[in-house]
Amino acid sequence: MTELHTCPGCGVKGMQVFHRQDSVPTNSCILLESREEAFRYPRGRIELAFCPACGFISNMAFDAKLTEYSGRYEETQGFSGTFNTFHRNLAQRMIERHNLREKDILEIGCGKGEFLLMLAELGNNRGVGFDPGVHQERVTGEAAERVHFIADFYSEKYAQYAADFVCCKMTLEHIHPTAEFIGTVRRAVGDRWDTTVFFQIPESIRILRDCAFEDIYYEHCSYFTTGSLARLFRSQGFDVVDLETEYGGQYLTIEARPARGTPTLPLAKEDDLSELAHYMDEFPGKFLQKRETWRQRVQEANAKGQKVVLWGSGSKGVSFLTTLDVGDAIEYAVDINPYRQGHYMPMTGQKIVGPKFLTEYRPDVVILMNAIYREEVSRELQRLGLAPDLCTL
Ligand SMILES: [Zn+2]
């Protein structure tokens, strides 16, 4: 008999494991000082299970004690022009849509604080951001005095911070007890009926359909689709106002308000359970095939004496390298974030270098971890006078 797990989202006992990976690093974005430290980095297991009742996918082997979120956590995408344009447009859209001017904004999991600062700048708002990895000294500019940061996880004890707009981007996927967490947010909002809650997370139908194995890693223990995200919010006392996918279909966003009176009806796009079950069935086969294809590609390049580097040393890069397990066939990972350069990839040990390093290394193949940056990276390679074969996942 296959073991059935209880869903952390809806509480039904019916989750079955469909994907396993042993020995993966328990963090992707921690700055590691040496190759030795990288090699002996703590490992954990991935056992992804699917809930047929609500569509939620969770790593049932996840242990929160093994992950670290601290000052040496370096995840920002804020050094990319492509990302900054998207981020600024998102902030502007939220300000227009929810009339965020001279309002109080709370951001849960604010990272390095860029988004909160943008909302404060563009709408003359005030803000409080929560994140154990925040670096106050890196937050500068005219609006910096209107935002303050608390270097801690958001929890019940901060419920006194009332806000007109609560946002939480790329954080919920790091939390295992999802229903408990959304319940905490709902209780903190209380009877402030006009408060809008905005969440952004990775979209997971794409991950299953395209077998985007680079998007599956230890830190991400929770995987949502439009349907499972909406069902979770409704079950915790929210009305779903809007659900969207953006950033090349990679991000899923939800806008919700505290539910009052007659609940709103589910949106048509929430009906994704059978589609999800289908992609889940196909996933194990696709995974083996895709991993083999990439392994061969790297090994063939190696056999021809070609040099291969990764572009993107964040979570996708870490997952790609640990899944492929090709040792030194890939020697370096490139990153434009200067804070990551000079450090090492957990477990596989590649050194993280800046783009300029490539002018002396002269790679033949660059594997880009996220297709959305193709144009930006292509321009950068050209600027450096390089013409390697640029392939994207
Ligand atoms: Zn469920």
Side-chain angles (χ1 to χ4, degrees):
M1 270 292 282
T2 321
E3 191 192 352
L4 295 180
H5 298 275
T6 302
C7 175
C10 73
V12 171
K13 189 174 178 172
M15 291 184 103
Q16 270 193 40
V17 174
F18 68 95
H19 175 65
R20 284 190 172 81
Q21 267 179 283
D22 289 331
S23 199
V24 296
T26 54
N27 270 98
S28 318
C29 295
I30 292 287
L31 300 176
L32 302 174
E33 302 299 333
S34 69
R35 225 163 125 81
E36 291 65 41
E37 191 186 4
F39 286 142
R40 53 165 207 266
Y41 200 76
R43 284 134 210 237
R45 279 180 304 120
I46 291 175
E47 286 184 12
L48 287 192
F50 169 72
C51 174
C54 76
F56 181 54
I57 292 167
S58 177
N59 177 9
M60 301 320 287
F62 180 76
D63 180 356
K65 291 194 293 296
L66 297 179
T67 57
E68 173 188 335
Y69 297 103
S70 65
R72 61 176 196 148
Y73 192 85
E74 187 59 49
E75 80 294 9
T76 186
Q77 292 162 282
F79 291 97
S80 155
T82 309
F83 184 76
N84 283 338
T85 304
F86 159 76
H87 222 189
R88 214 175 172 78
N89 288 343
L90 175 65
Q92 196 65 58
R93 205 172 77 224
M94 288 298 124
I95 287 170
E96 298 303 327
R97 211 168 136 80
H98 302 293
N99 193 25
L100 303 178
R101 288 186 182 85
E102 297 182 13
K103 296 280 170 62
D104 288 299
I105 294 167
L106 191 149
E107 186 172 10
I108 300 169
C110 63
K112 300 295 173 267
E114 296 106 335
F115 191 64
L116 190 59
L117 195 68
M118 266 185 225
L119 290 171
E121 263 169 21
L122 300 169
N124 202 26
N125 296 299
R126 300 165 294 271
V128 183
F130 292 85
D131 199 301
V134 74
H135 283 263
Q136 186 83 49
E137 78 284 358
R138 274 163 63 175
V139 182
T140 54
E142 171 271 324
E145 61 192 39
R146 293 196 303 278
V147 293
H148 80 271
F149 296 96
I150 296 170
D152 195 4
F153 292 106
Y154 181 76
S155 69
E156 213 85 56
K157 72 176 179 194
Y158 297 114
Q160 78 272 20
Y161 287 92
D164 303 290
F165 185 73
V166 177
C167 58
C168 180
K169 292 165 43 258
M170 310 318 268
T171 297
L172 182 61
E173 68 276 19
H174 296 255
I175 295 169
H176 200 257
T178 47
E180 196 183 303
F181 180 72
I182 299 301
T184 299
V185 175
R186 176 64 192 88
R187 285 190 294 281
V189 171
D191 57 4
R192 295 172 62 96
W193 306 109
D194 293 331
T195 297
T196 299
V197 172
F198 173 81
F199 272 61
Q200 181 196 70
I201 50 168
E203 197 286 313
S204 298
I205 284 256
R206 178 193 65 87
I207 297 175
L208 289 187
R209 184 196 60 215
D210 301 350
C211 187
F213 66 78
E214 70 279 9
D215 283 319
I216 297 170
Y217 39 92
Y218 197 79
E219 286 172 34
H220 282 189
C221 52
S222 297
Y223 299 79
F224 289 96
T225 63
T226 311
S228 56
L229 185 64
R231 283 184 274 278
L232 176 67
F233 272 74
R234 288 179 202 286
S235 75
Q236 296 303 315
F238 283 105
D239 262 345
V240 176
V241 180
D242 196 26
L243 288 160
E244 297 296 338
T245 52
E246 52 192 353
Y247 213 50
Q250 295 183 41
Y251 296 166
L252 170 61
T253 63
I254 186 167
E255 289 171 47
R257 291 247 168 84
R260 192 184 201 183
T262 323
T264 54
L265 291 173
L267 307 168
K269 58 177 123 176
E270 292 175 37
D271 180 16
D272 57 10
L273 278 178
S274 55
E275 188 187 6
L276 199 50
H278 168 73
Y279 290 139
M280 186 213 46
D281 280 345
E282 289 186 337
F283 187 84
K286 283 185 184 170
F287 173 79
L288 293 176
Q289 198 179 21
K290 199 165 170 184
R291 184 177 61 181
E292 201 41 43
T293 305
W294 276 107
R295 263 184 190 156
Q296 274 178 15
R297 208 153 166 184
V298 171
Q299 281 157 352
E300 276 166 22
N302 248 240
K304 282 190 262 177
Q306 295 183 331
K307 290 188 269 187
V308 184
V309 297
L310 286 200
W311 191 294
S313 76
S315 304
K316 288 174 197 267
V318 171
S319 176
F320 184 78
L321 288 172
T322 49
T323 304
L324 252 58
D325 194 21
V326 287
D328 288 334
I330 298 172
E331 287 183 307
Y332 294 97
V334 184
D335 210 295
I336 55 170
N337 179 347
Y339 294 103
R340 293 187 62 78
Q341 295 163 11
H343 294 91
Y344 295 83
M345 300 295 272
M347 212 169 116
T348 52
Q350 285 79 5
K351 189 174 187 179
I352 303 168
V353 295
K356 227 177 135 203
F357 172 81
L358 300 186
T359 55
E360 79 193 63
Y361 186 68
R362 306 202 78 81
D364 302 285
V365 182
V366 172
I367 308 177
L368 176 58
M369 291 297 105
N370 191 338
I372 203 149
Y373 300 117
R374 192 177 173 100
E375 213 178 298
E376 183 178 325
V377 171
S378 179
R379 255 184 282 125
E380 180 64 10
L381 288 167
Q382 222 166 33
R383 200 183 65 80
L384 294 168
L386 300 167
D389 180 11
L390 178 61
C391 23
T392 47
L393 292 191

